[in-house]
Amino acid sequence: STLFPYTTLFRSMFRSYPDVVHVDELREMLGGIGRTTAYALLKSGRIESIKMGRVYLIPKINVIRFLFESEK
């Protein structure tokens, strides 16, 4: 699984956040990025999410993956 390297980080990073976050929580997790930037990351697929109606549901593990893969 491509998530395997992130499972340890998942248990230690962003512990106060739920397993699935919304856009405002995503913005906080990424250091207070703007709403437009957050939606651009989601719409482009750089951060994988599920869209239910007008609401993005973002698995926390995908935020962690984004942070570590964007470092490369």
Side-chain angles (χ1 to χ4, degrees), residues 16-64:
S16 64
Y17 290 91
D19 291 347
V20 176
V21 298
H22 295 100
V23 173
D24 285 339
E25 292 163 317
L26 170 69
R27 292 174 60 210
E28 288 175 14
M29 293 166 86
L30 297 182
I33 64 170
R35 185 174 299 276
T36 304
T37 302
Y39 280 107
L41 289 169
L42 296 169
K43 288 177 184 175
S44 70
R46 289 190 61 205
I47 297 177
E48 292 181 40
S49 63
I50 299 160
K51 192 171 182 188
M52 298 201 50
R54 297 174 58 188
V55 176
Y56 281 94
L57 302 175
I58 308 138
K60 179 168 63 174
I61 193 111
N62 291 347
V63 179
I64 295 168

